[in-house]
């Protein structure tokens, strides 16, 4: 299958101006300049004119609760599964699924099945084994075996620290888990990343530093998320990134979380860049379909709202439009840096040999016109016909 995507204003993420993308099956075969001859006469070649629209790499979301989350307020508070319809129009072409608080009624097997459902719909979908609590729930009996023997499992997570819902792991427990994941990742050619849910308890990220201080494991073996949940945690996260770690902020939010002191994701990214934190250590994730719970000071459940996959694209737009971050600097925060942290070499960039995952923006404003995943168009914004604009309902 050959497709020529003509007249793309390319952010790869670096700005490349007007280019033409030749896609062969699932990958980018060539990037042609305005003066290069176009292969218009090749048999079976499909041509799509993008009309000069901005084209970005498909977004990479390192935390999606695709089988749903919740339950902190009882079974009536479970959040729904991610639907394929919601996923394909979000701009996210690569997503990593995780279990959360509930690893009792939701399992690694159901997570794996959901991942394969989304893959059948045209997306790239991976997953973490384990969940909030230790010992980690697994499919084959161990974290290492899951990572080595099951293609979709690239690491372990979300392991909860500094949160009353976690299992309060010790330094030794966390070090043993990270070591197993790291070694299994090396054997399988995967990152073996340990994805960390960080709560708002005073300990913050200190246990991760203690693991790095007392073992041979690097800070970058961990990827802690929700770093923008409180102002104190955000400052701790900036220090963690300066010390050699990576940090991830959450784009889904609620009025209650913001009122309680959460730093909006786009503001967090702007402040981190202004503070001259190494940009490659920064990423954003949606926490889609998770429960975003609200507790009182004694830990009593007050309510929740579900996370949204579309919030990642929205936060990227806020980085550009509200905080003046250049598009080529903002795009990696929602694609390239997560792909690198997760060891996904074919994702997060538009270059020859990379997977043909891309987001086409509308001509004006901040909206998605088309989404392409693995060389196929999986979403297109409905366009008004000449007659539609004259008729109301």
């Amino acid at each position: 299958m050959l497709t020529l995507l003509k007249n793309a204003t390319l952010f790869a993420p670096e700005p490349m101006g007007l280019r033409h993308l030749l896609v062969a099956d699932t990958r980018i075969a060539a990037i042609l300049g305005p003066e290069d001859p176009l292969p218009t006469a090749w048999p079976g070649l499909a041509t799509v004119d993008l009309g000069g629209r901005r084209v970005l790499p498909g977004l990479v979301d390192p935390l999606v609760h695709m089988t749903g989350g919740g339950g902190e307020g009882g079974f009536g508070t479970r959040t729904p599964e991610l639907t394929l319809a919601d996923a394909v129009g979000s701009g996210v072409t690569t997503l990593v699924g995780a279990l959360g608080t509930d690893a009792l009624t939701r399992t690694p097997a159901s997570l794996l099945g959901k991942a394969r459902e989304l893959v059948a719909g045209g997306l790239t979908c991976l997953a973490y084994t384990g969940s909030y609590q230790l010992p980690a729930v697994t499919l084959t009996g161990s974290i290492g075996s899951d990572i080595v023997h099951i293609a979709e499992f690239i690491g372990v997570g979300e392991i909860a620290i500094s949160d009353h819902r976690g299992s309060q792991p010790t330094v030794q427990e966390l070090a043993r888990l990270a070591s197993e994941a790291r070694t299994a990742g090396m054997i399988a050619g995967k990152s073996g990343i340990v994805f960390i849910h960080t709560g708002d308890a005073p300990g913050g990220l200190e246990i991760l530093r203690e693991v790095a201080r007392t073992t041979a494991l690097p800070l970058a073996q961990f990827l802690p998320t929700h770093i923008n949940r409180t102002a104190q945690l955000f400052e701790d996260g900036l220090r963690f990134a300066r010390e050699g770690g990576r940090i991830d902020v959450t784009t889904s939010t609620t009025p209650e979380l913001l009122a309680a002191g959460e730093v909006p994701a786009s503001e967090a990214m702007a402040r981190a860049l202004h503070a001259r934190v190494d940009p490659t250590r920064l990423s954003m994730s949606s926490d889609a379909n998770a429960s975003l719970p609200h507790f009182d000071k004694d830990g009593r459940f007050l309510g929740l709202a579900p996370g949204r996959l579309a919030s990642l694209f929205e936060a990227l737009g806020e980085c550009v439009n509200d905080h003046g971050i250049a598009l080529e600097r903002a795009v990696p925060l929602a694609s390239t840096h997560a792909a690198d942290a997760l060891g996904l070499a074919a994702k997060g960039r538009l270059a020859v040999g990379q997977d043909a995952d891309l987001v086409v923006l509308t001509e004006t404003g901040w909206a998605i016109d088309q989404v392409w995943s693995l060389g196929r168009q999986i979403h297109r914004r409905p366009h008004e016909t000449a007659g539609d604009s004259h008729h109301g309902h």
Side-chain angles (χ1 to χ4, degrees), residues 64-215:
V64 179
H65 292 278
M66 53 197 183
T67 56
E72 290 98 334
F75 289 113
T77 62
R78 288 161 61 91
T79 61
E81 290 192 3
L82 176 68
T83 67
L84 181 63
D86 283 343
V88 294
S90 68
V92 176
T93 54
T94 300
L95 53 156
V96 187
L99 299 176
T101 314
D102 179 10
L104 297 169
T105 70
R106 306 174 197 272
T107 67
S110 61
L111 187 67
L112 187 59
K114 186 67 180 184
R116 291 177 178 176
E117 174 195 332
L118 296 173
V119 167
L123 298 165
T124 298
C125 196
L126 303 159
Y128 306 112
T129 187
S131 68
Y132 270 33
Q133 292 84 19
L134 298 180
V137 296
T138 64
L139 194 59
T140 65
S142 76
I143 291 165
S145 180
D146 276 11
I147 293 171
V148 168
H149 295 299
I150 299 173
E152 289 88 348
F153 285 135
I154 60 170
V156 59
E158 318 173 68
I159 305 298
I161 63 170
S162 301
D163 194 298
H164 63 95
R165 295 168 293 170
S167 55
Q168 317 312 315
T170 66
V171 171
Q172 291 75 21
E173 287 174 326
L174 203 53
R176 191 171 295 114
L177 173 140
S179 178
E180 184 178 358
R182 181 179 177 87
T183 303
M186 294 170 69
I187 293 168
K190 301 175 181 178
S191 69
I193 197 80
V194 182
F195 200 84
I196 296 287
H197 163 98
T198 315
D200 58 6
L205 301 170
E206 191 55 34
I207 190 172
L208 304 183
R209 294 185 177 94
E210 188 64 17
V211 171
R213 278 195 294 265
T214 57
T215 72

Side-chain angles (χ1 to χ4, degrees), residues 339-387:
D340 291 347
L342 300 173
L344 307 179
K347 303 295 185 181
R349 295 173 177 82
L350 298 177
V352 173
Q354 296 290 105
D355 286 347
D357 300 340
L358 49 97
V359 178
V360 182
L361 302 184
T362 51
E363 293 181 59
T364 58
W366 185 261
I368 294 172
D369 184 72
Q370 300 171 38
V371 180
W372 292 71
S373 180
L374 296 172
R376 291 177 50 234
Q377 187 186 83
I378 60 171
H379 172 78
R380 185 171 184 182
R381 181 176 62 99
H383 292 268
E384 284 189 339
T385 64

Side-chain angles (χ1 to χ4, degrees), residues 138-327:
T138 64
L139 194 59
T140 65
S142 76
I143 291 165
S145 180
D146 276 11
I147 293 171
V148 168
H149 295 299
I150 299 173
E152 289 88 348
F153 285 135
I154 60 170
V156 59
E158 318 173 68
I159 305 298
I161 63 170
S162 301
D163 194 298
H164 63 95
R165 295 168 293 170
S167 55
Q168 317 312 315
T170 66
V171 171
Q172 291 75 21
E173 287 174 326
L174 203 53
R176 191 171 295 114
L177 173 140
S179 178
E180 184 178 358
R182 181 179 177 87
T183 303
M186 294 170 69
I187 293 168
K190 301 175 181 178
S191 69
I193 197 80
V194 182
F195 200 84
I196 296 287
H197 163 98
T198 315
D200 58 6
L205 301 170
E206 191 55 34
I207 190 172
L208 304 183
R209 294 185 177 94
E210 188 64 17
V211 171
R213 278 195 294 265
T214 57
T215 72
L217 293 166
L219 279 182
Q221 191 64 38
F222 301 100
L223 180 53
T225 192
H226 313 321
I227 296 301
N228 53 324
R229 281 293 190 237
T230 69
Q232 181 179 357
L233 180 57
F234 178 62
E235 292 301 323
D236 193 23
L238 295 183
R239 290 194 297 274
F240 188 81
R242 292 192 186 99
E243 292 162 354
R246 297 186 177 100
I247 56 173
D248 184 78
V249 305
T250 303
T251 57
S252 289
T253 190
T254 67
E256 291 80 10
L257 288 170
L258 293 170
E262 180 179 274
V263 182
S266 57
E267 179 186 330
M269 292 293 91
R271 286 170 56 180
L273 292 172
H274 183 73
R276 300 189 181 279
V277 172
D278 181 350
T280 65
R281 303 193 178 279
L282 307 173
S283 63
M284 301 190 291
S285 60
S286 71
D287 206 13
N289 293 73
S291 69
L292 305 177
H294 183 45
F295 298 96
D296 69 14
K297 60 183 177 60
D298 296 319
R300 287 188 292 260
F301 175 81
L302 298 176
L304 61 76
R308 298 167 48 251
L309 193 64
S311 68
L312 185 59
F313 177 77
E314 293 165 4
L316 177 58
E318 291 166 6
C319 286
V320 175
N321 298 314
D322 298 347
H323 296 281
I325 301 173
L327 186 56

